[in-house]
Amino acid sequence: MAQPDSKKIFFENLSGAGKAIAVLTSGGDAQGMNGAVRAVVRMGLYVGAKVYFIHEGYQGMVDGGDNIKEATWESVSSMLQLGGTVIGSARCKEFRTHEGRLKAAHNLVQHGITNLCVIGGDGSLTGANLFKEEWSGLLNELVEQGLIEADAVQKYSALHIVGMVGSIDNDFCGTDMTIGTDSALHRIIEVVDAIMTTAQSHQRTFVLEVMGRHCGYLALVSGLACGADWVLIPEMPPEDGWEEKMCQKLSATRSRGTRLNIIIVAEGAIDRHGKPITSSFVKDNVSTELTILGHVQRGGTPSAFDRILASRMGVEAVLALLETTANTPACVVSLCGNTSVRVPLMECVQMTQEVQKAMDQKRFEEAVKLRGRMYDNLLLCILCLQSNFNVAVLNVGAPAAGMNAAVRSAVRVGISEGHKMFAVSDGFEGFYKGQVRLEVKWGDVGGWTGQGGSLLGTKRTLPAKHVEKIAEQMRKHNINALLIIGGFEAFESLLQLYEARANYEEFCIPMCILPATISNNVPGTDLSIGADTALNAIVETCDRIKQSASGTKRRVFIIETMGGYCGYLATVGGLASGADAAYIYEEPFDIKELQANVEHLTEKMKTSIQRGLVLRNENCNENYTTDFIYQLYSEEGRGVFDCRKNVLGHMQQGGAPSPFDRNFGTKISAKAMQWVSKKLVETFRQGRVFANTEDSCCLLGMRRRTLVFQPVVQLKDETDFVHRIPKEQWWLKLRPLMKILAKYKTSYDVSDSGQLEHVVHNRPKDSDASVAM
């Protein structure tokens, strides 16, 4: 995808020469911090800067000596998959004092460091900002004490700070997600999934305590992801008498045949009077089992999402440092939707402090608003319409993890809004055969969130050949709206149904598609349900494959991924697993490039690099097959490294959905059902629903920062129907990033690099006092 040259950065003209960048991790550890450190080091070296590790956080900066070491390309190898932080983290009381910061300034000046990348929480970032503000005064003091030369004040006149937030609690305002949160959710869901099997066996209720002293994000999202019956979080204290209401709800679900109940409690949960609600108290009230996860949530390998997030943020942090001036405020690299942005550090810190102040003053609704739109959206308040429309939901195409979560959300939100929900088995094939399940109840979809595949059943059959029979079934069951969850076939199906409106009024109803496919090849969306789970499967497998070569001779692995003609899995999976190359259809390659890649890898293997990884999308080239690439690398690398190949196959499509996919499916399905309800009301005239406009037949997709409803007809021009991919794909801009981190000299497009923005206050919404799923 060609971009204006003026917006590209090249190795030759993006110069960090003469600059020194230091990276440190401070406060608590979080999975993904190592990925951020790796990205900072390699991007810094790529632009010609000197990069330093500061070991043990601010304590290492104060102590100096061996705690400040120059980093090399090889020093961050094999750390992407490691949890915690390999450069250490520590609380430092001394840095809070003026004398401690004076020592730290002296140590930085000795190494010529004036660019600081801080990965930590709000306390660490606040300390960094104070350090920046005092910098010139500290240098003058060092001159007066004779510790540095007078010209050093001019030479090192400004300290530049860029922060990245590493915190599993996701408690920092100004970003949708912090590094480590998604991995913590993985740990929680792994435990919940394990607990649910024994709970179902014995018809038990389990209380699970998760971290979050001041923020209930982990509790809220894990509750959504596992289909918990009740969630207690600090931002939404329950009304008085909640204990009885909770017990009544648990009894009601049992009476409908549910064999287990899950209650999630954030460690900081409180009631309306500020009194702590402990997990032990909840356990005693319902006479059940208790599990406290504790620091298990902070451990383990980072998820694919956290590796990608950390890599993108690390590169963005270096770009921010290169572009900063003496007057640029310290900023935080943040995530807004699917976009990297830079936000003034102190605005984020102040808003984070405002949240706590609001909670201390029992202004809970304001606290939720201040958390930001991500948190606000999760606390969906369902407006119950007295409409009683019939809405059908079905899955189309290949199964994708997260489909069941989307179906569950659609059914329950639909029921809450007063609709009758119908489920169609086996996609449009089941539809025309009459496999329509009448009026699905609330309890019928219990426990679906954590199930992989498609419990409704799904087929690739398109509706065009059977449109008359499908119309007959819709007329028979008086279907007033249709929600389709699936991949490229679902997109094609909705186009066919839209065209069928000319001959069949049964299709003149609100219709919506939710993209769900591991290939992430549906036009109109950056992300699809199921792709994150597939990425995690790829990354976990690549980790194990690389580990299998540990301690042996140098070895390169050739891995084939799925995706049809779409190279998303190969590219983003390669970025997350530290691949050296990824071959895809969208970026044509020839034998010269293959040879150049082999030579590049050979040179790396002659140093300390022991393992190489090359990913190939299954349809990237009909001639340069996986076997061909394997044989080429084996022959050309002879004497330096040997090769192994693996075809990952359908293991990428199976397994339980990741926390991201569970929640993404739940969230967009709820939003789609709200859209359906709105359209039903708008198009209900003279006792019937009639919708034949383009905007009543839409795809709901993530576009950069927001979820957008787009008429499917308008997406036709954006689509390559022959190869079943969008004509423009955002993730292609990540490919140079993968190459840079693999030590290639290549151009990097910064047309979408983050710009300094201000924190935006969201409008307050009405919200319930407790969260019952």
Side-chain angles (χ1 to χ4, degrees):
M1 291 176 13
Q3 299 292 333
D5 287 343
S6 61
K7 287 292 188 179
K8 283 192 174 181
I9 287 182
F10 294 90
F11 182 81
E12 290 82 3
N13 59 23
L14 176 59
S15 178
K19 294 192 175 184
I21 299 172
V23 57
L24 73 148
T25 53
S26 178
D29 65 306
Q31 306 98 316
M33 279 184 166
N34 289 323
V37 171
R38 171 180 177 269
V40 169
V41 169
R42 292 197 165 177
M43 188 61 180
L45 294 174
Y46 169 79
V47 298
K50 282 188 175 183
V51 185
Y52 292 86
F53 293 132
I54 298 180
H55 293 271
E56 310 306 332
Y58 285 117
Q59 189 65 58
M61 193 190 297
V62 172
D63 294 342
D66 291 339
N67 289 304
I68 303 177
K69 294 181 179 179
E70 188 169 353
T72 65
W73 195 274
E74 288 73 23
S75 61
V76 291
S77 296
S78 302
M79 65 187 291
L80 185 60
Q81 70 271 25
L82 301 178
T85 166
V86 298
I87 61 174
S89 180
R91 311 284 180 184
C92 181
K93 292 183 179 179
E94 194 172 359
F95 188 75
R96 298 179 184 178
T97 67
H98 183 79
E99 292 75 15
R101 293 191 291 275
L102 190 65
K103 291 180 183 177
H106 184 217
N107 289 327
L108 292 187
V109 170
Q110 284 184 316
H111 291 86
I113 298 170
T114 56
N115 297 278
L116 204 56
C117 185
V118 181
I119 308 168
D122 59 339
S124 301
L125 298 177
T126 303
N129 189 70
L130 176 61
F131 193 37
K132 171 183 169 66
E133 291 175 349
E134 292 182 346
W135 181 256
S136 60
L138 294 172
L139 294 193
N140 287 327
E141 285 188 53
L142 291 172
V143 172
E144 292 172 4
Q145 295 178 17
L147 295 175
I148 62 174
E149 298 296 329
D151 61 353
V153 175
Q154 182 65 33
K155 186 177 180 181
Y156 307 115
S157 58
L159 178 67
H160 307 298
I161 301 287
V162 173
M164 288 180 277
V165 188
S167 167
I168 69 167
D169 292 339
N170 203 31
D171 56 353
F172 191 81
C173 294
T175 184
D176 287 351
M177 287 286 277
T178 58
I179 296 170
T181 302
D182 187 71
S183 300
L185 287 170
H186 274 256
R187 302 294 91 77
I188 295 169
I189 296 306
E190 287 166 6
V191 172
V192 173
D193 286 351
I195 285 175
M196 288 176 76
T197 56
T198 185
Q200 285 179 324
S201 301
H202 299 281
Q203 299 190 52
R204 287 179 178 169
T205 297
F206 273 84
V207 177
L208 188 71
E209 181 185 301
V210 302
M211 284 184 167
R213 283 179 296 172
H214 306 295
C215 179
Y217 184 88
L218 288 179
L220 177 62
V221 178
S222 60
L224 286 170
C226 70
D229 299 274
W230 203 269
V231 176
L232 293 160
I233 60 176
E235 294 89 344
M236 294 185 68
E239 300 287 352
D240 293 345
W242 62 271
E243 301 95 331
E244 185 177 347
K245 290 180 182 177
M246 182 178 66
C247 291
Q248 289 174 352
K249 183 179 189 301
L250 297 178
S251 298
T253 57
R254 284 296 174 91
S255 67
R256 293 197 293 262
T258 301
R259 293 182 61 86
L260 80 155
N261 299 105
I262 300 290
I263 302 168
I264 307 286
V265 184
E267 61 178 328
I270 55 175
D271 63 19
R272 283 275 158 178
H273 308 288
K275 181 182 177 182
I277 299 176
T278 65
S279 53
S280 298
F281 177 78
V282 177
K283 170 186 175 293
D284 294 339
N285 265 271
V286 294
S287 302
T288 186
E289 307 295 331
L290 170 63
T291 301
I292 299 176
L293 291 186
H295 281 73
V296 167
Q297 297 155 85
R298 301 179 88 103
T301 188
S303 66
F305 182 95
D306 273 327
R307 299 185 196 196
I308 297 162
L309 176 66
S311 297
R312 292 177 67 183
M313 283 188 167
V315 168
E316 186 66 40
V318 173
L319 293 176
L321 287 171
L322 292 178
E323 295 170 13
T324 192
T325 66
N327 297 322
T328 304
C331 71
V332 175
V333 178
S334 300
L335 182 72
C336 183
N338 190 36
T339 304
S340 296
V341 298
R342 303 172 194 171
V343 187
L345 187 155
M346 288 313 296
E347 285 189 19
C348 298
V349 170
Q350 287 163 7
M351 187 167 286
T352 303
Q353 292 170 348
E354 284 183 37
V355 172
Q356 191 56 49
K357 185 178 179 181
M359 292 182 62
D360 292 341
Q361 297 176 355
K362 298 183 175 57
R363 293 181 282 114
F364 299 112
E365 291 184 7
E366 185 178 346
V368 170
K369 179 197 72 170
L370 291 170
R371 282 281 184 218
R373 64 170 195 163
M374 175 71 78
Y375 203 91
D376 213 2
N377 290 340
L378 287 169
L379 298 173
L380 292 168
C381 302
I382 307 303
L383 175 64
C384 295
L385 304 176
Q386 305 302 315
S387 50
N388 203 30
F389 291 111
N390 295 343
V391 181
V393 58
L394 68 159
N395 296 335
V396 176
M403 276 183 164
N404 297 320
V407 172
R408 170 184 175 270
S409 177
V411 168
R412 293 194 170 181
V413 172
I415 291 171
S416 296
E417 296 200 338
H419 308 314
K420 288 183 179 179
M421 298 301 297
F422 293 72
V424 181
S425 300
D426 295 335
F428 284 107
E429 184 173 318
F431 212 155
Y432 83 80
K433 290 179 179 179
Q435 296 171 207
V436 181
R437 186 175 175 184
L438 305 180
E439 201 166 350
V440 182
K441 301 296 185 183
W442 186 280
D444 293 339
V445 291
W448 280 35
T449 310
Q451 299 293 314
S454 168
L455 294 176
L456 283 184
T458 181
K459 295 288 180 67
R460 296 181 183 271
T461 305
L462 299 179
K465 294 182 180 178
H466 312 284
V467 69
E468 185 175 347
K469 291 182 179 180
I470 294 170
E472 180 184 332
Q473 289 295 324
M474 294 186 71
R475 185 167 58 251
K476 175 182 176 181
H477 298 292
N478 189 29
I479 301 300
N480 305 123
L482 201 59
L483 181 65
I484 304 172
I485 303 166
F488 200 88
E489 291 89 353
F491 172 65
E492 291 182 295
S493 297
L494 203 52
L495 281 172
Q496 293 178 1
L497 295 184
Y498 176 81
E499 293 168 357
R501 281 177 168 180
N503 299 314
Y504 298 92
E505 286 192 358
E506 289 81 2
F507 301 115
C508 293
I509 58 174
M511 297 185 288
C512 183
I513 172 182
L514 302 181
T517 166
I518 69 167
S519 301
N520 199 32
N521 64 329
V522 180
T525 186
D526 290 353
L527 302 171
S528 299
I529 299 168
D532 184 74
T533 303
L535 281 174
N536 277 287
I538 292 169
V539 168
E540 289 168 9
T541 305
C542 287
D543 285 352
R544 292 180 183 181
I545 287 172
K546 289 194 294 184
Q547 191 178 45
S548 71
S550 180
T552 66
K553 60 182 179 180
R554 295 181 176 89
R555 181 165 290 168
V556 174
F557 295 93
I558 313 297
I559 311 293
E560 181 183 302
T561 67
M562 294 177 74
Y565 286 95
C566 181
Y568 176 81
L569 291 179
T571 295
V572 184
L575 177 61
S577 56
D580 296 276
Y583 300 115
I584 62 171
Y585 168 78
E586 294 91 342
E587 194 172 277
F589 58 97
D590 55 22
I591 193 66
K592 292 180 180 178
E593 183 172 343
L594 287 170
Q595 183 64 34
N597 292 156
V598 174
E599 291 174 357
H600 178 80
L601 197 49
T602 302
E603 288 301 312
K604 287 175 65 177
M605 284 288 181
K606 289 178 179 177
T607 61
S608 60
I609 303 298
Q610 295 292 321
R611 288 158 288 176
L613 187 65
V614 175
L615 271 62
R616 178 190 176 275
N617 170 243
E618 58 184 346
N619 289 344
C620 67
N621 189 292
E622 62 180 345
N623 295 313
Y624 299 136
T625 63
T626 301
D627 284 336
F628 178 91
I629 294 175
Y630 163 70
Q631 291 168 7
L632 175 67
Y633 273 73
S634 296
E635 179 63 29
E636 297 299 320
R638 186 172 296 177
V640 179
F641 59 81
D642 66 1
C643 277
R644 297 290 186 273
K645 65 177 178 179
N646 293 82
V647 178
L648 300 186
H650 281 76
M651 54 123 338
Q652 299 158 81
Q653 206 164 29
S658 68
F660 181 92
D661 278 328
R662 300 185 195 202
N663 291 294
F664 187 51
T666 299
K667 182 171 66 174
I668 68 169
S669 187
K671 190 174 182 71
M673 284 306 303
Q674 290 175 319
W675 176 87
V676 165
S677 296
K678 179 183 176 183
K679 288 296 180 183
L680 285 169
V681 173
E682 290 176 356
T683 57
F684 186 71
R685 297 290 183 274
Q686 298 179 346
R688 59 176 290 203
V689 173
F690 186 82
N692 65 347
T693 57
E694 289 184 0
D695 66 353
S696 63
C697 184
C698 286
L699 178 145
L700 175 56
M702 167 68 77
R703 279 285 177 98
R704 292 176 62 84
R705 303 188 184 199
T706 56
L707 292 171
V708 183
F709 289 95
Q710 304 147 96
V712 291
V713 174
Q714 295 179 14
L715 294 173
K716 289 176 68 175
D717 292 338
E718 300 181 20
T719 308
D720 176 353
F721 285 94
V722 175
H723 298 100
R724 297 161 55 87
I725 55 175
K727 292 179 181 176
E728 299 289 331
Q729 309 204 69
W730 69 271
W731 51 264
L732 286 171
K733 293 181 180 179
L734 297 180
R735 288 186 61 78
L737 172 58
M738 181 188 68
K739 290 181 178 179
I740 288 168
L741 298 179
K743 211 174 182 178
Y744 284 88
K745 294 182 181 181
T746 185
S747 61
Y748 183 63
D749 179 9
V750 295
S751 58
D752 284 339
S753 64
Q755 302 300 317
L756 195 64
E757 301 182 4
H758 294 288
V759 179
V760 179
H761 288 257
N762 288 338
R763 291 176 297 171
K765 295 181 181 179
D766 296 331
S767 55
D768 295 330
S770 58
V771 185
M773 301 300 168

